[in-house]
Amino acid sequence: MKIASIINGAERIDASAETMEVRNPYSGALVAEMHLAGEKEMEEAIENSLQTFHTTMKTMPAHERADILLRASELLEEKKEEFAEIIAVEAGKPIKHSRAEIMRSIQILRFSSELSKHTAGEVVPMDAALRGDNRMGMVKRVPMGVIGAITPFNFPLNLSLHKIAPAIAAGNTVIFKPAEKTPVSAYMLAKLLKDAGLPDGALNLVLSTGVTAGTTLVPHKDVPKITFTGSLTVGKIIRDTAGFKKVTMELGSNSPNIVFEDADIEDAVDRLVNAAFGYSGQVCVSAQRIYVQEGIYDEFLKKYIEATNQLNIGDPMEEETDFGPMIDENAAKRIQEWVEEARDQGATIETGGERKGTMMYPTIITNVKKDMKVVKEEAFAPIVTVLPFNTEEEAVENTNDSIYGLQAGVFTKDISRAYRVADSLEMGGVWINDSSVYRQDNYPYGGVKLSGLGREGVKYAMDEMTEMKFIGVRL
Ligand code: NAD
């Protein structure tokens, strides 16, 4: 399979273009060959997106945008197995988790379709101000123009749609730059949106390297907004080169979860196994630090190790597989080195710790210190640390001791403590009696500290992809 950028509705297969192979992280089999776009194609795509914004999207009525997005959700429903299979082979995500990603993606399209009809503004009570008598004032929400959307490999469809669908719902055009590891689902998505009736040029897919996007798309004068999901390292580069334009940043974390003595231990164990090892921990809100109150620490750890050892490890395409490979061997090698470093510094590897090619086995680490990499840096891998604590204050202090603040989980039956702790945590989101990894697509999602800037979740992304325009009338 050969894939290429799609600009103004036309596929840009260029025999002389540089190519990149997309390989199945589990088997190593070739999935696709991608024709890489260069700066010239990126420039062309931006020019076309700007033109399409002015000629088509800016004036397209909301009911038409809603119909296109609804039709796209129906088409995705029809093709859900095809999309799930491609995510399983290009990203190495177990098929059951790939299917769950598709179901969430369908919902994003539906929410976007519904909300495209509700970009309401407000009427300002002008006479509340001195000299405001006989004046009317209203605020409209207007699209921004060309949105640059740069996405990561780990939820290639869901996270791309978190940018593309709200952007279209609000009447913008989009330059879509997906991750190099997972361009096939992106290519299929661009085609699906075209089939759903999205005009050519409203979504231009540019399959380039990150560097091309960084030098051409990010600083471009005709792109007023960049929405990025990815690592802190790249986020910092983008922030530095974006200048005055608006940026949304969905970055990483070393997500904490706190289990108090009164929690339902079996339930916490069950949810935290998935939270730490789902998609091999390659999730921005993956559980990396689990703080367990001393009275239940031994019991929790024993049950947690047992439950982790029950995971079905293997081929992502097998129905029973819970746990598959990492995205590539370098990622697996890096995390194995971190685990070895922690062991050398006195940590105990309770289970896992081994690696075979791209497969890093589910790893639980105890006796850790807060300065170890496995605790303080984003692991983005199937490793988790379990740490004891004594008091509520200590749990809150340890949890907040991080440069990140994306999402946390708190397990307790004490409602007062639940709210107290939720209020004390420096996080974009806190789940009570669920883990840090749980996410729905309709609430404000994003981080504080170095976990990001701005929020996604369809309504909130639309707010960030529109400008408020005030119109006043002297009667
Ligand atoms: P990454 O930062 O390596 O790449 C993300 C995207 O940025 C890719 O499309 C890449 O090509 C592009 N890129 C690379 N260099 C660039 C540059 N100089 N300028 C512009 N674009 C550039 O991230 P990844 O490995 O694909 O994803 C993993 C990271 O994403 C983790 O840190 C994870 O926590 C984070 N993430 C965050 C969220 C969230 O919602 N907060 C969700 C998923 C993943």
Side-chain angles (χ1 to χ4, degrees), residues 323-344:
F323 182 94
M326 293 191 72
I327 191 68
D328 59 26
E329 194 162 353
N330 283 342
K333 275 186 182 156
R334 174 197 47 92
I335 200 63
Q336 195 188 22
E337 280 167 21
W338 285 25
V339 172
E340 286 312 318
E341 186 182 295
R343 200 200 303 260
D344 290 346

PDB file of all heavy atoms in Angstrom, residues 323-344:
ATOM      1  N   PHE A 323      -2.317  -7.012  25.876  1.00  0.00           N
ATOM      2  CA  PHE A 323      -1.068  -6.264  25.972  1.00  0.00           C
ATOM      3  C   PHE A 323      -0.158  -6.626  24.800  1.00  0.00           C
ATOM      4  O   PHE A 323       0.117  -7.809  24.574  1.00  0.00           O
ATOM      5  CB  PHE A 323      -0.405  -6.639  27.305  1.00  0.00           C
ATOM      6  CG  PHE A 323       0.865  -5.908  27.586  1.00  0.00           C
ATOM      7  CD1 PHE A 323       0.843  -4.750  28.345  1.00  0.00           C
ATOM      8  CD2 PHE A 323       2.079  -6.360  27.085  1.00  0.00           C
ATOM      9  CE1 PHE A 323       2.020  -4.057  28.598  1.00  0.00           C
ATOM     10  CE2 PHE A 323       3.257  -5.679  27.340  1.00  0.00           C
ATOM     11  CZ  PHE A 323       3.231  -4.525  28.098  1.00  0.00           C
ATOM     12  N   GLY A 324       0.309  -5.605  24.080  1.00  0.00           N
ATOM     13  CA  GLY A 324       1.154  -5.865  22.908  1.00  0.00           C
ATOM     14  C   GLY A 324       2.474  -5.113  22.977  1.00  0.00           C
ATOM     15  O   GLY A 324       2.949  -4.757  24.062  1.00  0.00           O
ATOM     16  N   PRO A 325       3.070  -4.857  21.807  1.00  0.00           N
ATOM     17  CA  PRO A 325       4.406  -4.246  21.766  1.00  0.00           C
ATOM     18  C   PRO A 325       4.369  -2.747  22.041  1.00  0.00           C
ATOM     19  O   PRO A 325       3.307  -2.144  22.066  1.00  0.00           O
ATOM     20  CB  PRO A 325       4.805  -4.472  20.304  1.00  0.00           C
ATOM     21  CG  PRO A 325       3.497  -4.405  19.568  1.00  0.00           C
ATOM     22  CD  PRO A 325       2.499  -5.073  20.472  1.00  0.00           C
ATOM     23  N   MET A 326       5.560  -2.177  22.183  1.00  0.00           N
ATOM     24  CA  MET A 326       5.661  -0.711  22.168  1.00  0.00           C
ATOM     25  C   MET A 326       5.779  -0.279  20.713  1.00  0.00           C
ATOM     26  O   MET A 326       5.890  -1.098  19.819  1.00  0.00           O
ATOM     27  CB  MET A 326       6.853  -0.254  23.003  1.00  0.00           C
ATOM     28  CG  MET A 326       6.661  -0.550  24.477  1.00  0.00           C
ATOM     29  SD  MET A 326       7.907   0.258  25.489  1.00  0.00           S
ATOM     30  CE  MET A 326       7.409   1.980  25.386  1.00  0.00           C
ATOM     31  N   ILE A 327       5.791   1.024  20.489  1.00  0.00           N
ATOM     32  CA  ILE A 327       5.714   1.521  19.109  1.00  0.00           C
ATOM     33  C   ILE A 327       6.962   1.137  18.299  1.00  0.00           C
ATOM     34  O   ILE A 327       6.873   0.874  17.110  1.00  0.00           O
ATOM     35  CB  ILE A 327       5.450   3.048  19.060  1.00  0.00           C
ATOM     36  CG1 ILE A 327       5.099   3.503  17.646  1.00  0.00           C
ATOM     37  CG2 ILE A 327       6.603   3.854  19.644  1.00  0.00           C
ATOM     38  CD1 ILE A 327       3.788   3.021  17.116  1.00  0.00           C
ATOM     39  N   ASP A 328       8.135   1.106  18.942  1.00  0.00           N
ATOM     40  CA  ASP A 328       9.334   0.630  18.225  1.00  0.00           C
ATOM     41  C   ASP A 328      10.379   0.163  19.243  1.00  0.00           C
ATOM     42  O   ASP A 328      10.205   0.315  20.457  1.00  0.00           O
ATOM     43  CB  ASP A 328       9.904   1.701  17.262  1.00  0.00           C
ATOM     44  CG  ASP A 328      10.285   2.994  17.974  1.00  0.00           C
ATOM     45  OD1 ASP A 328      10.578   2.948  19.183  1.00  0.00           O
ATOM     46  OD2 ASP A 328      10.282   4.050  17.326  1.00  0.00           O
ATOM     47  N   GLU A 329      11.440  -0.421  18.713  1.00  0.00           N
ATOM     48  CA  GLU A 329      12.430  -1.026  19.603  1.00  0.00           C
ATOM     49  C   GLU A 329      13.175   0.026  20.428  1.00  0.00           C
ATOM     50  O   GLU A 329      13.539  -0.224  21.577  1.00  0.00           O
ATOM     51  CB  GLU A 329      13.415  -1.872  18.786  1.00  0.00           C
ATOM     52  CG  GLU A 329      14.224  -2.783  19.680  1.00  0.00           C
ATOM     53  CD  GLU A 329      14.895  -3.935  18.957  1.00  0.00           C
ATOM     54  OE1 GLU A 329      14.632  -4.112  17.753  1.00  0.00           O
ATOM     55  OE2 GLU A 329      15.679  -4.632  19.616  1.00  0.00           O
ATOM     56  N   ASN A 330      13.369   1.202  19.848  1.00  0.00           N
ATOM     57  CA  ASN A 330      14.069   2.250  20.611  1.00  0.00           C
ATOM     58  C   ASN A 330      13.302   2.624  21.869  1.00  0.00           C
ATOM     59  O   ASN A 330      13.887   2.843  22.931  1.00  0.00           O
ATOM     60  CB  ASN A 330      14.247   3.515  19.754  1.00  0.00           C
ATOM     61  CG  ASN A 330      15.375   3.336  18.770  1.00  0.00           C
ATOM     62  OD1 ASN A 330      16.212   2.447  18.939  1.00  0.00           O
ATOM     63  ND2 ASN A 330      15.383   4.150  17.728  1.00  0.00           N
ATOM     64  N   ALA A 331      11.973   2.714  21.729  1.00  0.00           N
ATOM     65  CA  ALA A 331      11.139   3.064  22.887  1.00  0.00           C
ATOM     66  C   ALA A 331      11.279   1.979  23.963  1.00  0.00           C
ATOM     67  O   ALA A 331      11.389   2.276  25.164  1.00  0.00           O
ATOM     68  CB  ALA A 331       9.683   3.214  22.454  1.00  0.00           C
ATOM     69  N   ALA A 332      11.276   0.713  23.524  1.00  0.00           N
ATOM     70  CA  ALA A 332      11.381  -0.398  24.482  1.00  0.00           C
ATOM     71  C   ALA A 332      12.769  -0.434  25.137  1.00  0.00           C
ATOM     72  O   ALA A 332      12.902  -0.644  26.345  1.00  0.00           O
ATOM     73  CB  ALA A 332      11.079  -1.716  23.771  1.00  0.00           C
ATOM     74  N   LYS A 333      13.807  -0.168  24.329  1.00  0.00           N
ATOM     75  CA  LYS A 333      15.178  -0.173  24.874  1.00  0.00           C
ATOM     76  C   LYS A 333      15.337   0.946  25.908  1.00  0.00           C
ATOM     77  O   LYS A 333      15.942   0.762  26.955  1.00  0.00           O
ATOM     78  CB  LYS A 333      16.185   0.071  23.743  1.00  0.00           C
ATOM     79  CG  LYS A 333      16.570  -1.179  23.006  1.00  0.00           C
ATOM     80  CD  LYS A 333      17.679  -0.833  22.027  1.00  0.00           C
ATOM     81  CE  LYS A 333      18.055  -2.064  21.217  1.00  0.00           C
ATOM     82  NZ  LYS A 333      18.668  -1.716  19.945  1.00  0.00           N
ATOM     83  N   ARG A 334      14.785   2.122  25.572  1.00  0.00           N
ATOM     84  CA  ARG A 334      14.923   3.268  26.487  1.00  0.00           C
ATOM     85  C   ARG A 334      14.330   2.928  27.852  1.00  0.00           C
ATOM     86  O   ARG A 334      14.951   3.136  28.891  1.00  0.00           O
ATOM     87  CB  ARG A 334      14.224   4.502  25.900  1.00  0.00           C
ATOM     88  CG  ARG A 334      14.207   5.674  26.880  1.00  0.00           C
ATOM     89  CD  ARG A 334      13.227   6.786  26.582  1.00  0.00           C
ATOM     90  NE  ARG A 334      11.889   6.420  26.247  1.00  0.00           N
ATOM     91  CZ  ARG A 334      10.885   6.293  27.121  1.00  0.00           C
ATOM     92  NH1 ARG A 334      11.069   6.478  28.409  1.00  0.00           N
ATOM     93  NH2 ARG A 334       9.680   5.971  26.698  1.00  0.00           N
ATOM     94  N   ILE A 335      13.138   2.347  27.843  1.00  0.00           N
ATOM     95  CA  ILE A 335      12.485   2.129  29.135  1.00  0.00           C
ATOM     96  C   ILE A 335      13.165   0.995  29.900  1.00  0.00           C
ATOM     97  O   ILE A 335      13.249   1.028  31.131  1.00  0.00           O
ATOM     98  CB  ILE A 335      10.955   1.916  28.986  1.00  0.00           C
ATOM     99  CG1 ILE A 335      10.269   2.189  30.322  1.00  0.00           C
ATOM    100  CG2 ILE A 335      10.587   0.553  28.451  1.00  0.00           C
ATOM    101  CD1 ILE A 335      10.387   3.576  30.832  1.00  0.00           C
ATOM    102  N   GLN A 336      13.716   0.033  29.158  1.00  0.00           N
ATOM    103  CA  GLN A 336      14.451  -1.024  29.863  1.00  0.00           C
ATOM    104  C   GLN A 336      15.666  -0.423  30.587  1.00  0.00           C
ATOM    105  O   GLN A 336      15.980  -0.794  31.718  1.00  0.00           O
ATOM    106  CB  GLN A 336      14.891  -2.105  28.879  1.00  0.00           C
ATOM    107  CG  GLN A 336      15.320  -3.353  29.609  1.00  0.00           C
ATOM    108  CD  GLN A 336      15.937  -4.364  28.697  1.00  0.00           C
ATOM    109  OE1 GLN A 336      16.429  -4.053  27.610  1.00  0.00           O
ATOM    110  NE2 GLN A 336      15.914  -5.619  29.126  1.00  0.00           N
ATOM    111  N   GLU A 337      16.304   0.542  29.935  1.00  0.00           N
ATOM    112  CA  GLU A 337      17.456   1.208  30.581  1.00  0.00           C
ATOM    113  C   GLU A 337      17.010   1.949  31.849  1.00  0.00           C
ATOM    114  O   GLU A 337      17.713   1.919  32.859  1.00  0.00           O
ATOM    115  CB  GLU A 337      18.094   2.204  29.597  1.00  0.00           C
ATOM    116  CG  GLU A 337      18.990   1.530  28.593  1.00  0.00           C
ATOM    117  CD  GLU A 337      19.367   2.447  27.424  1.00  0.00           C
ATOM    118  OE1 GLU A 337      19.283   3.696  27.580  1.00  0.00           O
ATOM    119  OE2 GLU A 337      19.712   1.897  26.364  1.00  0.00           O
ATOM    120  N   TRP A 338      15.856   2.591  31.781  1.00  0.00           N
ATOM    121  CA  TRP A 338      15.348   3.300  32.972  1.00  0.00           C
ATOM    122  C   TRP A 338      15.114   2.308  34.115  1.00  0.00           C
ATOM    123  O   TRP A 338      15.399   2.597  35.271  1.00  0.00           O
ATOM    124  CB  TRP A 338      14.016   3.992  32.665  1.00  0.00           C
ATOM    125  CG  TRP A 338      14.089   5.227  31.839  1.00  0.00           C
ATOM    126  CD1 TRP A 338      15.056   5.584  30.937  1.00  0.00           C
ATOM    127  CD2 TRP A 338      13.125   6.280  31.829  1.00  0.00           C
ATOM    128  NE1 TRP A 338      14.739   6.788  30.362  1.00  0.00           N
ATOM    129  CE2 TRP A 338      13.564   7.238  30.883  1.00  0.00           C
ATOM    130  CE3 TRP A 338      11.936   6.512  32.494  1.00  0.00           C
ATOM    131  CZ2 TRP A 338      12.850   8.399  30.604  1.00  0.00           C
ATOM    132  CZ3 TRP A 338      11.223   7.668  32.217  1.00  0.00           C
ATOM    133  CH2 TRP A 338      11.678   8.609  31.286  1.00  0.00           C
ATOM    134  N   VAL A 339      14.553   1.144  33.760  1.00  0.00           N
ATOM    135  CA  VAL A 339      14.262   0.137  34.790  1.00  0.00           C
ATOM    136  C   VAL A 339      15.572  -0.362  35.398  1.00  0.00           C
ATOM    137  O   VAL A 339      15.712  -0.485  36.624  1.00  0.00           O
ATOM    138  CB  VAL A 339      13.428  -1.033  34.195  1.00  0.00           C
ATOM    139  CG1 VAL A 339      13.296  -2.178  35.198  1.00  0.00           C
ATOM    140  CG2 VAL A 339      12.047  -0.537  33.761  1.00  0.00           C
ATOM    141  N   GLU A 340      16.554  -0.614  34.544  1.00  0.00           N
ATOM    142  CA  GLU A 340      17.858  -1.077  35.038  1.00  0.00           C
ATOM    143  C   GLU A 340      18.508  -0.025  35.944  1.00  0.00           C
ATOM    144  O   GLU A 340      19.086  -0.343  36.978  1.00  0.00           O
ATOM    145  CB  GLU A 340      18.800  -1.412  33.866  1.00  0.00           C
ATOM    146  CG  GLU A 340      18.440  -2.696  33.156  1.00  0.00           C
ATOM    147  CD  GLU A 340      18.183  -3.857  34.109  1.00  0.00           C
ATOM    148  OE1 GLU A 340      18.937  -4.016  35.098  1.00  0.00           O
ATOM    149  OE2 GLU A 340      17.197  -4.597  33.882  1.00  0.00           O
ATOM    150  N   GLU A 341      18.385   1.227  35.537  1.00  0.00           N
ATOM    151  CA  GLU A 341      18.955   2.320  36.333  1.00  0.00           C
ATOM    152  C   GLU A 341      18.293   2.352  37.719  1.00  0.00           C
ATOM    153  O   GLU A 341      18.963   2.496  38.735  1.00  0.00           O
ATOM    154  CB  GLU A 341      18.737   3.645  35.593  1.00  0.00           C
ATOM    155  CG  GLU A 341      19.410   4.817  36.248  1.00  0.00           C
ATOM    156  CD  GLU A 341      19.131   6.123  35.498  1.00  0.00           C
ATOM    157  OE1 GLU A 341      19.567   6.267  34.345  1.00  0.00           O
ATOM    158  OE2 GLU A 341      18.462   7.007  36.088  1.00  0.00           O
ATOM    159  N   ALA A 342      16.946   2.193  37.729  1.00  0.00           N
ATOM    160  CA  ALA A 342      16.231   2.201  39.017  1.00  0.00           C
ATOM    161  C   ALA A 342      16.693   1.021  39.877  1.00  0.00           C
ATOM    162  O   ALA A 342      16.929   1.162  41.084  1.00  0.00           O
ATOM    163  CB  ALA A 342      14.720   2.135  38.769  1.00  0.00           C
ATOM    164  N   ARG A 343      16.856  -0.151  39.233  1.00  0.00           N
ATOM    165  CA  ARG A 343      17.314  -1.336  39.982  1.00  0.00           C
ATOM    166  C   ARG A 343      18.692  -1.058  40.598  1.00  0.00           C
ATOM    167  O   ARG A 343      18.924  -1.337  41.776  1.00  0.00           O
ATOM    168  CB  ARG A 343      17.389  -2.544  39.040  1.00  0.00           C
ATOM    169  CG  ARG A 343      17.386  -3.880  39.771  1.00  0.00           C
ATOM    170  CD  ARG A 343      17.927  -5.013  38.922  1.00  0.00           C
ATOM    171  NE  ARG A 343      17.258  -5.228  37.659  1.00  0.00           N
ATOM    172  CZ  ARG A 343      16.345  -6.173  37.432  1.00  0.00           C
ATOM    173  NH1 ARG A 343      15.962  -6.962  38.402  1.00  0.00           N
ATOM    174  NH2 ARG A 343      15.837  -6.327  36.233  1.00  0.00           N
ATOM    175  N   ASP A 344      19.576  -0.467  39.798  1.00  0.00           N
ATOM    176  CA  ASP A 344      20.923  -0.146  40.298  1.00  0.00           C
ATOM    177  C   ASP A 344      20.868   0.840  41.460  1.00  0.00           C
ATOM    178  O   ASP A 344      21.751   0.868  42.318  1.00  0.00           O
ATOM    179  CB  ASP A 344      21.781   0.482  39.183  1.00  0.00           C
ATOM    180  CG  ASP A 344      22.130  -0.538  38.109  1.00  0.00           C
ATOM    181  OD1 ASP A 344      21.940  -1.749  38.368  1.00  0.00           O
ATOM    182  OD2 ASP A 344      22.553  -0.124  37.014  1.00  0.00           O
TER     183      ASP A 344
END
